[in-house]
Amino acid sequence: MRQRSLETILVLVIALGVVYWITGNSWFLLSAGILAVIALLFPALTNQIHWLWMKLGEAMGFVTSKIVLTIIFYIFLVPLSFLAKLRKRQPVKLKPDNNSLYTERNFEYTRESMEHLW
């Protein structure tokens, strides 16, 4: 657990250093230094920061997956369903012709038809 906590803190320190390098705001460099000192001197606090960071990642993953799946649904699946309705084609037999959904198939099975089923 200690190794993972230190890895998380190291990633956070590097990220803060990169943000400092991009923006030039000294608060990011100060925050990176404070976080590095905490990681070296206070292992219990380092574990708490690691736990909090992992929970934040889980929450962001939960929300992001819902957003991405919603976007895919509305960009791809809804237009495809409208196009299928415009063509008035039924790939799935939803309404029976008679009183049964059974389709009679007159086919004589041979040895060759059983060799390559798929």
Side-chain angles (χ1 to χ4, degrees):
M1 182 68 175
R2 174 83 175 138
Q3 181 69 24
R4 293 230 182 230
S5 298
L6 288 175
E7 289 173 0
T8 300
I9 297 297
L10 179 63
V11 167
L12 292 173
V13 167
I14 291 172
L16 287 169
V18 169
V19 171
Y20 165 73
W21 182 62
I22 291 172
T23 63
N25 190 345
S26 62
W27 286 105
F28 291 111
L29 191 60
L30 180 65
S31 299
I34 291 171
L35 201 56
V37 169
I38 288 173
L40 294 174
L41 299 179
F42 304 107
L45 191 55
T46 303
N47 291 337
Q48 292 297 322
I49 293 171
H50 170 74
W51 180 84
L52 182 67
W53 186 254
M54 291 297 119
K55 290 300 173 186
L56 178 68
E58 287 177 13
M60 287 173 56
F62 178 78
V63 171
T64 304
S65 66
K66 304 299 186 243
I67 291 171
V68 168
L69 289 174
T70 302
I71 289 171
I72 288 173
F73 179 78
Y74 283 110
I75 288 179
F76 294 109
L77 296 179
V78 170
L80 283 175
S81 70
F82 285 139
L83 288 174
K85 285 183 182 183
L86 287 175
R87 291 179 59 199
K88 295 183 181 179
R89 191 176 78 103
Q90 284 188 345
V92 178
K93 196 173 191 179
L94 297 175
K95 297 177 184 172
D97 296 334
N98 304 338
N99 291 331
S100 174
L101 293 176
Y102 178 76
T103 303
E104 188 173 331
R105 182 175 179 218
N106 293 324
F107 180 76
E108 186 174 324
Y109 291 97
T110 62
R111 179 178 291 223
E112 290 79 26
S113 66
M114 293 299 198
E115 287 179 2
H116 301 288
L117 294 177
W118 293 278

